[in-house]
Amino acid sequence: MEIKFDFSNEIYAEKLIKRLLETTSGLSVADALSEDYDVLLTDRYQHVADERTVYLSDLLTDPVSIYSSTDAIRDYAVSVYEKNSGKLFRTVKRKKRTVSFYSEFGGSGCTSVALTYSRCLALNGKKTVFITKGNSYIPEEKKRRAKSLKLNYRLHSGKGESITSFMEEDMYGLYVIYVADFSQIEKLAASIGSLNEFDWIVIDYGTVRPVTG
């Protein structure tokens, strides 16, 4: 399947192309001037469009989420390709790994070690999400606390925004998500894993003993 990209946000387009190529076998990128492609992915209104065109505004109705779910964008593009070509397209899934950090005593540096480990993974090209309650070193703590409470409701009810909308990407390319209730960790990790977008899930339990078995 050959995809052509036409985005007003070039930085996002570069990231999207990279992620799609990392997670999808049999995918190639068409030249920007080419008319020989299978699917056109765009966030621009096309005056001349055909059945190969996929508008992100049609795919994701929430403007905040338009640039969030690589998995949803890929699946929609695949459905357009299969409909137009009559062929099946198989995608490859990532092999996810999960690692947890825990300390019996506060002030031991558990969060710092977990965060450093996560950033090292991100800097080495591994798409990583870091799950934590947050600490005093994190700015805007009140704002993020409110966001984590909203996430807690999302996990309990199964309703609301996508899980990726609760993540923040730092300067190292690490995705961070703050939780208010660690009893929901397994559900959160499962939700993140189902996105098929991350290589590593790192959980900072701090002094909250992980549930095992």
Side-chain angles (χ1 to χ4, degrees), residues 176-188:
V176 183
I177 188 166
Y178 303 91
V179 295
D181 182 1
F182 264 55
S183 68
Q184 298 294 306
I185 281 293
E186 289 188 12
K187 186 180 291 185
L188 175 58

Side-chain angles (χ1 to χ4, degrees), residues 61-104:
T61 56
D62 178 3
V64 177
S65 301
I66 284 179
Y67 299 112
S68 63
S69 178
T70 304
D71 209 35
I73 292 170
R74 182 195 61 228
D75 290 348
Y76 195 81
V78 167
S79 70
V80 170
Y81 168 78
E82 291 181 338
K83 180 180 178 180
N84 293 335
S85 68
K87 302 175 182 178
L88 291 177
F89 185 86
R90 293 184 178 180
T91 58
V92 64
K93 292 189 175 182
R94 289 174 179 267
K95 293 181 179 180
K96 296 177 291 294
R97 296 183 180 182
T98 302
V99 61
S100 302
F101 288 82
Y102 160 76
S103 174
E104 291 189 357

Side-chain angles (χ1 to χ4, degrees), residues 2 30-31 33-38 52:
E2 191 167 23
D31 185 81
L33 299 178
S34 174
E35 292 302 321
D36 184 19
Y37 55 85
D38 297 305
R52 298 177 297 174

Side-chain angles (χ1 to χ4, degrees), residues 101-108 110-111 182 204-210:
F101 288 82
Y102 160 76
S103 174
E104 291 189 357
F105 307 100
S108 62
C110 177
T111 295
F182 264 55
D204 166 33
Y205 280 98
T207 56
V208 178
R209 185 179 295 275

Side-chain angles (χ1 to χ4, degrees), residues 100-103 105-121 130-138 170 172 174 202-207:
S100 302
F101 288 82
Y102 160 76
S103 174
F105 307 100
S108 62
C110 177
T111 295
S112 296
V113 172
L115 181 61
T116 300
Y117 182 85
S118 301
R119 284 175 171 169
C120 285
L121 288 171
F130 178 58
I131 302 174
T132 184
K133 272 193 173 181
N135 269 303
S136 57
Y137 73 89
I138 299 172
D170 70 11
Y172 301 94
L174 173 67
V202 181
I203 304 172
D204 166 33
Y205 280 98
T207 56

